[in-house]
Short mmCIF file of all heavy atoms in Angstrom, two decimals:
data_model
loop_
_atom_site.label_atom_id
_atom_site.label_comp_id
_atom_site.label_asym_id
_atom_site.label_seq_id
_atom_site.Cartn_x
_atom_site.Cartn_y
_atom_site.Cartn_z
N ASP A 104 31.21 6.71 3.40
CA ASP A 104 30.15 7.50 2.77
C ASP A 104 29.53 8.46 3.77
O ASP A 104 29.26 9.63 3.46
CB ASP A 104 29.06 6.59 2.20
CG ASP A 104 29.58 5.64 1.14
OD1 ASP A 104 30.37 6.07 0.27
OD2 ASP A 104 29.20 4.45 1.18
N LEU A 105 29.32 7.98 5.00
CA LEU A 105 28.73 8.82 6.05
C LEU A 105 29.66 9.97 6.43
O LEU A 105 29.23 11.10 6.59
CB LEU A 105 28.38 7.98 7.28
CG LEU A 105 27.23 7.00 7.11
CD1 LEU A 105 27.15 6.05 8.30
CD2 LEU A 105 25.90 7.75 6.93
N ALA A 106 30.96 9.67 6.55
CA ALA A 106 31.94 10.72 6.91
C ALA A 106 32.01 11.78 5.83
O ALA A 106 32.04 12.99 6.13
CB ALA A 106 33.31 10.08 7.13
N TYR A 107 32.02 11.37 4.56
CA TYR A 107 32.05 12.32 3.46
C TYR A 107 30.81 13.22 3.49
O TYR A 107 30.90 14.45 3.39
CB TYR A 107 32.14 11.59 2.11
CG TYR A 107 32.11 12.52 0.93
CD1 TYR A 107 33.28 13.12 0.47
CD2 TYR A 107 30.91 12.83 0.28
CE1 TYR A 107 33.26 13.99 -0.61
CE2 TYR A 107 30.88 13.71 -0.80
CZ TYR A 107 32.05 14.29 -1.24
OH TYR A 107 32.02 15.16 -2.30
N ALA A 108 29.66 12.61 3.64
CA ALA A 108 28.40 13.37 3.67
C ALA A 108 28.37 14.34 4.85
O ALA A 108 27.95 15.49 4.69
CB ALA A 108 27.21 12.42 3.72
N GLN A 109 28.81 13.86 6.01
CA GLN A 109 28.82 14.74 7.19
C GLN A 109 29.74 15.94 6.97
O GLN A 109 29.40 17.07 7.29
CB GLN A 109 29.25 13.95 8.43
CG GLN A 109 29.16 14.77 9.69
CD GLN A 109 29.49 13.96 10.93
OE1 GLN A 109 30.06 12.87 10.85
NE2 GLN A 109 29.15 14.49 12.09
N ALA A 110 30.93 15.70 6.39
CA ALA A 110 31.88 16.79 6.13
C ALA A 110 31.31 17.81 5.15
O ALA A 110 31.60 19.01 5.25
CB ALA A 110 33.20 16.22 5.60
N LYS A 111 30.49 17.35 4.21
CA LYS A 111 29.88 18.24 3.22
C LYS A 111 28.53 18.81 3.68
O LYS A 111 27.96 19.65 2.98
CB LYS A 111 29.68 17.50 1.89
CG LYS A 111 30.94 17.04 1.24
CD LYS A 111 31.69 18.21 0.63
CE LYS A 111 32.88 17.75 -0.15
NZ LYS A 111 33.65 18.83 -0.70
N GLY A 112 28.02 18.30 4.79
CA GLY A 112 26.73 18.77 5.27
C GLY A 112 25.56 18.30 4.41
O GLY A 112 24.58 19.03 4.24
N ILE A 113 25.68 17.09 3.85
CA ILE A 113 24.63 16.56 2.98
C ILE A 113 24.12 15.22 3.51
O ILE A 113 24.77 14.57 4.32
CB ILE A 113 25.12 16.38 1.52
CG1 ILE A 113 26.37 15.51 1.47
CG2 ILE A 113 25.40 17.74 0.88
CD1 ILE A 113 26.90 15.22 0.07
N ASP A 114 22.96 14.82 3.05
CA ASP A 114 22.37 13.52 3.37
C ASP A 114 22.88 12.51 2.34
O ASP A 114 22.66 12.70 1.14
CB ASP A 114 20.85 13.63 3.31
CG ASP A 114 20.11 12.33 3.60
OD1 ASP A 114 20.76 11.26 3.68
OD2 ASP A 114 18.88 12.37 3.72
N PRO A 115 23.57 11.43 2.78
CA PRO A 115 24.12 10.48 1.81
C PRO A 115 23.06 9.62 1.11
O PRO A 115 23.36 8.97 0.11
CB PRO A 115 25.04 9.60 2.66
CG PRO A 115 24.40 9.61 4.01
CD PRO A 115 23.85 11.02 4.15
N GLY A 116 21.85 9.64 1.60
CA GLY A 116 20.83 8.77 1.03
C GLY A 116 20.99 7.36 1.56
O GLY A 116 21.77 7.09 2.46
N GLY A 117 20.27 6.44 0.97
CA GLY A 117 20.31 5.05 1.41
C GLY A 117 19.28 4.25 0.64
O GLY A 117 18.84 4.67 -0.43
N ASP A 118 18.90 3.11 1.19
CA ASP A 118 17.93 2.23 0.54
C ASP A 118 18.31 1.91 -0.89
O ASP A 118 17.52 2.05 -1.82
CB ASP A 118 16.51 2.81 0.60
CG ASP A 118 15.89 2.66 1.97
OD1 ASP A 118 16.35 1.77 2.73
OD2 ASP A 118 14.96 3.39 2.29
N ILE A 119 19.54 1.46 -1.07
CA ILE A 119 20.02 1.03 -2.38
C ILE A 119 19.86 -0.49 -2.44
O ILE A 119 20.27 -1.20 -1.53
CB ILE A 119 21.50 1.44 -2.58
CG1 ILE A 119 21.66 2.96 -2.47
CG2 ILE A 119 22.02 0.93 -3.92
CD1 ILE A 119 20.89 3.77 -3.50
N PHE A 120 19.26 -0.96 -3.53
CA PHE A 120 18.93 -2.38 -3.67
C PHE A 120 19.29 -2.91 -5.05
O PHE A 120 19.39 -2.16 -6.01
CB PHE A 120 17.41 -2.58 -3.50
CG PHE A 120 16.91 -2.39 -2.10
CD1 PHE A 120 16.57 -1.13 -1.63
CD2 PHE A 120 16.76 -3.47 -1.25
CE1 PHE A 120 16.10 -0.95 -0.35
CE2 PHE A 120 16.29 -3.30 0.04
CZ PHE A 120 15.95 -2.04 0.49
N ILE A 121 19.40 -4.24 -5.12
CA ILE A 121 19.29 -4.97 -6.38
C ILE A 121 17.83 -5.38 -6.41
O ILE A 121 17.33 -5.97 -5.44
CB ILE A 121 20.19 -6.22 -6.41
CG1 ILE A 121 21.65 -5.85 -6.23
CG2 ILE A 121 19.96 -6.99 -7.71
CD1 ILE A 121 22.55 -7.06 -5.99
N HIS A 122 17.12 -5.06 -7.50
CA HIS A 122 15.69 -5.39 -7.53
C HIS A 122 15.19 -5.65 -8.94
O HIS A 122 15.91 -5.45 -9.91
CB HIS A 122 14.86 -4.30 -6.84
CG HIS A 122 14.96 -2.93 -7.45
ND1 HIS A 122 14.52 -2.62 -8.71
CD2 HIS A 122 15.45 -1.78 -6.93
CE1 HIS A 122 14.71 -1.34 -8.96
NE2 HIS A 122 15.30 -0.79 -7.90
N GLY A 123 13.94 -6.10 -9.00
CA GLY A 123 13.27 -6.33 -10.28
C GLY A 123 12.66 -5.03 -10.77
O GLY A 123 13.10 -3.94 -10.42
N THR A 124 11.62 -5.18 -11.57
CA THR A 124 10.99 -4.01 -12.18
C THR A 124 9.57 -3.83 -11.66
O THR A 124 8.93 -4.80 -11.25
CB THR A 124 10.95 -4.14 -13.72
OG1 THR A 124 10.26 -5.34 -14.05
CG2 THR A 124 12.35 -4.20 -14.28
N PRO A 125 9.05 -2.61 -11.69
CA PRO A 125 7.66 -2.39 -11.28
C PRO A 125 6.71 -3.00 -12.31
O PRO A 125 7.10 -3.30 -13.44
CB PRO A 125 7.53 -0.87 -11.23
CG PRO A 125 8.59 -0.36 -12.15
CD PRO A 125 9.71 -1.37 -12.12
N GLN A 126 5.46 -3.15 -11.91
CA GLN A 126 4.46 -3.75 -12.80
C GLN A 126 4.29 -2.98 -14.10
O GLN A 126 4.06 -3.55 -15.14
CB GLN A 126 3.12 -3.87 -12.09
CG GLN A 126 3.10 -4.98 -11.07
CD GLN A 126 1.74 -5.13 -10.44
OE1 GLN A 126 0.91 -4.24 -10.48
NE2 GLN A 126 1.51 -6.29 -9.84
N ARG A 127 4.37 -1.68 -14.06
CA ARG A 127 4.15 -0.86 -15.26
C ARG A 127 5.44 -0.26 -15.77
O ARG A 127 5.51 0.90 -16.11
CB ARG A 127 3.14 0.24 -14.95
CG ARG A 127 1.80 -0.34 -14.64
CD ARG A 127 0.77 0.70 -14.53
NE ARG A 127 -0.49 0.02 -14.25
CZ ARG A 127 -1.58 0.63 -13.98
NH1 ARG A 127 -1.62 1.94 -13.95
NH2 ARG A 127 -2.69 -0.04 -13.73
N TRP A 128 6.46 -1.05 -15.85
CA TRP A 128 7.77 -0.59 -16.30
C TRP A 128 7.76 -0.41 -17.80
O TRP A 128 7.26 -1.24 -18.54
CB TRP A 128 8.82 -1.61 -15.87
CG TRP A 128 10.21 -1.23 -16.22
CD1 TRP A 128 10.88 -0.11 -15.84
CD2 TRP A 128 11.11 -1.98 -17.03
NE1 TRP A 128 12.15 -0.12 -16.35
CE2 TRP A 128 12.31 -1.26 -17.09
CE3 TRP A 128 11.02 -3.18 -17.70
CZ2 TRP A 128 13.42 -1.70 -17.79
CZ3 TRP A 128 12.12 -3.62 -18.40
CH2 TRP A 128 13.30 -2.88 -18.43
N MET A 129 8.33 0.68 -18.27
CA MET A 129 8.30 1.02 -19.69
C MET A 129 9.56 0.59 -20.44
O MET A 129 9.68 0.81 -21.63
CB MET A 129 8.10 2.54 -19.86
CG MET A 129 6.84 3.06 -19.20
SD MET A 129 5.36 2.18 -19.70
CE MET A 129 5.04 2.92 -21.26
N GLY A 130 10.54 0.00 -19.74
CA GLY A 130 11.74 -0.48 -20.40
C GLY A 130 12.77 0.60 -20.67
O GLY A 130 13.68 0.42 -21.46
N THR A 131 12.68 1.73 -19.99
CA THR A 131 13.64 2.81 -20.18
C THR A 131 14.95 2.46 -19.48
O THR A 131 14.94 2.00 -18.36
CB THR A 131 13.11 4.11 -19.52
OG1 THR A 131 11.72 4.06 -19.42
CG2 THR A 131 13.54 5.32 -20.25
N PRO A 132 16.10 2.69 -20.12
CA PRO A 132 17.36 2.39 -19.46
C PRO A 132 17.68 3.38 -18.33
O PRO A 132 17.26 4.53 -18.37
CB PRO A 132 18.39 2.50 -20.59
CG PRO A 132 17.76 3.34 -21.63
CD PRO A 132 16.27 3.17 -21.49
N ASP A 133 18.40 2.87 -17.33
CA ASP A 133 18.88 3.69 -16.21
C ASP A 133 17.77 4.56 -15.62
O ASP A 133 17.82 5.78 -15.64
CB ASP A 133 20.09 4.53 -16.64
CG ASP A 133 21.26 3.65 -17.02
OD1 ASP A 133 21.35 2.51 -16.51
OD2 ASP A 133 22.10 4.08 -17.81
N TRP A 134 16.80 3.89 -15.05
CA TRP A 134 15.59 4.53 -14.55
C TRP A 134 15.49 4.56 -13.02
O TRP A 134 14.60 5.18 -12.47
CB TRP A 134 14.36 3.82 -15.11
CG TRP A 134 14.37 2.34 -14.81
CD1 TRP A 134 14.97 1.36 -15.55
CD2 TRP A 134 13.81 1.69 -13.67
NE1 TRP A 134 14.80 0.13 -14.95
CE2 TRP A 134 14.09 0.31 -13.80
CE3 TRP A 134 13.09 2.13 -12.56
CZ2 TRP A 134 13.68 -0.63 -12.85
CZ3 TRP A 134 12.68 1.20 -11.62
CH2 TRP A 134 12.97 -0.17 -11.78
N THR A 135 16.40 3.89 -12.32
CA THR A 135 16.26 3.79 -10.86
C THR A 135 16.79 5.07 -10.19
O THR A 135 17.36 5.94 -10.84
CB THR A 135 17.02 2.57 -10.29
OG1 THR A 135 18.42 2.85 -10.24
CG2 THR A 135 16.76 1.30 -11.11
N TRP A 136 16.66 5.14 -8.88
CA TRP A 136 17.16 6.27 -8.11
C TRP A 136 18.54 5.97 -7.53
O TRP A 136 18.96 6.61 -6.58
CB TRP A 136 16.17 6.64 -7.00
CG TRP A 136 14.99 7.34 -7.54
CD1 TRP A 136 13.85 6.79 -8.06
CD2 TRP A 136 14.84 8.75 -7.67
NE1 TRP A 136 13.00 7.77 -8.50
CE2 TRP A 136 13.58 8.99 -8.27
CE3 TRP A 136 15.64 9.84 -7.36
CZ2 TRP A 136 13.12 10.26 -8.54
CZ3 TRP A 136 15.17 11.11 -7.62
CH2 TRP A 136 13.92 11.31 -8.21
N GLY A 137 19.23 4.97 -8.10
CA GLY A 137 20.56 4.60 -7.63
C GLY A 137 20.69 3.10 -7.41
O GLY A 137 21.76 2.61 -7.06
N CYS A 138 19.61 2.37 -7.63
CA CYS A 138 19.61 0.92 -7.44
C CYS A 138 20.13 0.21 -8.69
O CYS A 138 20.44 0.83 -9.70
CB CYS A 138 18.20 0.44 -7.13
SG CYS A 138 17.56 1.07 -5.55
N ILE A 139 20.19 -1.10 -8.59
CA ILE A 139 20.60 -1.98 -9.69
C ILE A 139 19.39 -2.83 -10.03
O ILE A 139 18.86 -3.52 -9.15
CB ILE A 139 21.79 -2.86 -9.26
CG1 ILE A 139 22.98 -1.98 -8.87
CG2 ILE A 139 22.13 -3.88 -10.34
CD1 ILE A 139 24.01 -2.66 -8.01
N ALA A 140 18.93 -2.76 -11.28
CA ALA A 140 17.70 -3.46 -11.65
C ALA A 140 17.96 -4.51 -12.73
O ALA A 140 18.74 -4.30 -13.65
CB ALA A 140 16.65 -2.47 -12.16
N VAL A 141 17.27 -5.64 -12.57
CA VAL A 141 17.25 -6.72 -13.56
C VAL A 141 15.78 -7.04 -13.82
O VAL A 141 14.89 -6.50 -13.17
CB VAL A 141 18.00 -7.98 -13.05
CG1 VAL A 141 19.48 -7.70 -12.88
CG2 VAL A 141 17.41 -8.52 -11.75
N THR A 142 15.50 -7.93 -14.77
CA THR A 142 14.11 -8.32 -15.01
C THR A 142 13.58 -9.10 -13.81
O THR A 142 14.36 -9.63 -13.01
CB THR A 142 13.97 -9.19 -16.27
OG1 THR A 142 14.59 -10.46 -16.03
CG2 THR A 142 14.57 -8.51 -17.50
N ASN A 143 12.29 -9.19 -13.70
CA ASN A 143 11.69 -9.94 -12.59
C ASN A 143 12.07 -11.41 -12.61
O ASN A 143 12.33 -12.01 -11.56
CB ASN A 143 10.17 -9.77 -12.59
CG ASN A 143 9.77 -8.36 -12.22
OD1 ASN A 143 10.56 -7.59 -11.67
ND2 ASN A 143 8.54 -8.00 -12.53
N GLU A 144 12.11 -12.00 -13.79
CA GLU A 144 12.51 -13.41 -13.90
C GLU A 144 13.95 -13.59 -13.43
O GLU A 144 14.28 -14.55 -12.73
CB GLU A 144 12.35 -13.91 -15.35
CG GLU A 144 10.93 -13.96 -15.84
CD GLU A 144 10.37 -12.59 -16.27
OE1 GLU A 144 11.16 -11.64 -16.53
OE2 GLU A 144 9.13 -12.45 -16.30
N GLU A 145 14.82 -12.66 -13.81
CA GLU A 145 16.21 -12.73 -13.37
C GLU A 145 16.31 -12.49 -11.87
O GLU A 145 17.11 -13.12 -11.18
CB GLU A 145 17.05 -11.70 -14.12
CG GLU A 145 17.22 -12.03 -15.59
CD GLU A 145 17.81 -10.90 -16.41
OE1 GLU A 145 17.68 -9.72 -16.02
OE2 GLU A 145 18.40 -11.20 -17.46
N MET A 146 15.47 -11.60 -11.34
CA MET A 146 15.50 -11.32 -9.91
C MET A 146 15.09 -12.54 -9.11
O MET A 146 15.62 -12.77 -8.01
CB MET A 146 14.61 -10.11 -9.58
CG MET A 146 14.85 -9.57 -8.18
SD MET A 146 16.55 -9.01 -7.94
CE MET A 146 16.81 -9.47 -6.24
N ASP A 147 14.16 -13.35 -9.62
CA ASP A 147 13.82 -14.61 -8.95
C ASP A 147 15.08 -15.46 -8.76
O ASP A 147 15.32 -16.02 -7.70
CB ASP A 147 12.80 -15.41 -9.77
CG ASP A 147 11.39 -14.82 -9.73
OD1 ASP A 147 11.10 -14.01 -8.83
OD2 ASP A 147 10.60 -15.17 -10.62
N GLU A 148 15.88 -15.53 -9.81
CA GLU A 148 17.12 -16.31 -9.80
C GLU A 148 18.14 -15.71 -8.84
O GLU A 148 18.71 -16.43 -8.01
CB GLU A 148 17.68 -16.28 -11.23
CG GLU A 148 18.34 -17.51 -11.69
CD GLU A 148 18.71 -17.39 -13.17
OE1 GLU A 148 19.43 -16.44 -13.56
OE2 GLU A 148 18.26 -18.26 -13.91
N VAL A 149 18.37 -14.41 -8.95
CA VAL A 149 19.35 -13.73 -8.10
C VAL A 149 18.96 -13.87 -6.63
O VAL A 149 19.81 -14.18 -5.78
CB VAL A 149 19.48 -12.23 -8.49
CG1 VAL A 149 20.32 -11.46 -7.50
CG2 VAL A 149 20.03 -12.09 -9.90
N TYR A 150 17.71 -13.67 -6.33
CA TYR A 150 17.21 -13.75 -4.95
C TYR A 150 17.46 -15.13 -4.36
O TYR A 150 17.82 -15.27 -3.20
CB TYR A 150 15.72 -13.41 -4.94
CG TYR A 150 15.16 -13.08 -3.59
CD1 TYR A 150 15.27 -11.79 -3.06
CD2 TYR A 150 14.50 -14.04 -2.83
CE1 TYR A 150 14.74 -11.47 -1.83
CE2 TYR A 150 13.97 -13.73 -1.59
CZ TYR A 150 14.09 -12.44 -1.09
OH TYR A 150 13.56 -12.14 0.14
N ALA A 151 17.28 -16.18 -5.18
CA ALA A 151 17.51 -17.55 -4.72
C ALA A 151 19.00 -17.84 -4.54
O ALA A 151 19.40 -18.61 -3.67
CB ALA A 151 16.90 -18.54 -5.70
N MET A 152 19.85 -17.23 -5.35
CA MET A 152 21.28 -17.53 -5.35
C MET A 152 22.08 -16.77 -4.30
O MET A 152 23.09 -17.27 -3.80
CB MET A 152 21.87 -17.23 -6.73
CG MET A 152 21.38 -18.14 -7.83
SD MET A 152 22.00 -17.67 -9.48
CE MET A 152 23.70 -18.24 -9.38
N VAL A 153 21.67 -15.54 -3.97
CA VAL A 153 22.49 -14.66 -3.15
C VAL A 153 21.99 -14.64 -1.70
O VAL A 153 20.80 -14.43 -1.45
CB VAL A 153 22.48 -13.23 -3.74
CG1 VAL A 153 23.22 -12.26 -2.83
CG2 VAL A 153 23.09 -13.23 -5.14
N ASN A 154 22.91 -14.82 -0.78
CA ASN A 154 22.58 -14.80 0.65
C ASN A 154 22.93 -13.46 1.29
O ASN A 154 23.80 -12.73 0.79
CB ASN A 154 23.36 -15.90 1.37
CG ASN A 154 22.91 -17.28 0.96
OD1 ASN A 154 21.72 -17.56 0.89
ND2 ASN A 154 23.86 -18.15 0.66
N THR A 155 22.29 -13.17 2.39
CA THR A 155 22.65 -12.00 3.19
C THR A 155 24.10 -12.16 3.62
O THR A 155 24.53 -13.25 3.99
CB THR A 155 21.72 -11.90 4.42
OG1 THR A 155 20.37 -11.83 3.96
CG2 THR A 155 22.03 -10.68 5.27
N GLY A 156 24.85 -11.08 3.54
CA GLY A 156 26.27 -11.10 3.91
C GLY A 156 27.20 -11.22 2.71
O GLY A 156 28.40 -11.02 2.85
N THR A 157 26.65 -11.53 1.54
CA THR A 157 27.48 -11.66 0.33
C THR A 157 28.14 -10.32 0.01
O THR A 157 27.49 -9.27 0.08
CB THR A 157 26.63 -12.14 -0.86
OG1 THR A 157 26.04 -13.40 -0.53
CG2 THR A 157 27.46 -12.28 -2.12
N LEU A 158 29.41 -10.37 -0.36
CA LEU A 158 30.14 -9.17 -0.77
C LEU A 158 29.66 -8.71 -2.14
O LEU A 158 29.39 -9.53 -3.02
CB LEU A 158 31.64 -9.45 -0.84
CG LEU A 158 32.32 -9.77 0.49
CD1 LEU A 158 33.71 -10.31 0.23
CD2 LEU A 158 32.37 -8.54 1.37
#
Side-chain angles (χ1 to χ4, degrees):
D104 299 317
L105 290 169
Y107 177 85
Q109 185 176 15
K111 297 286 186 182
I113 56 177
D114 178 351
D118 284 338
I119 301 298
F120 289 86
I121 300 169
H122 60 65
T124 57
Q126 285 184 341
R127 295 188 179 174
W128 182 58
M129 303 307 281
T131 336
D133 297 334
W134 55 273
T135 77
W136 285 86
C138 296
I139 299 161
V141 295
T142 68
N143 290 343
E144 294 80 19
E145 291 169 336
M146 193 61 216
D147 287 342
E148 216 174 57
V149 172
Y150 196 84
M152 293 175 75
V153 175
N154 293 314
T155 302
T157 301
L158 295 168

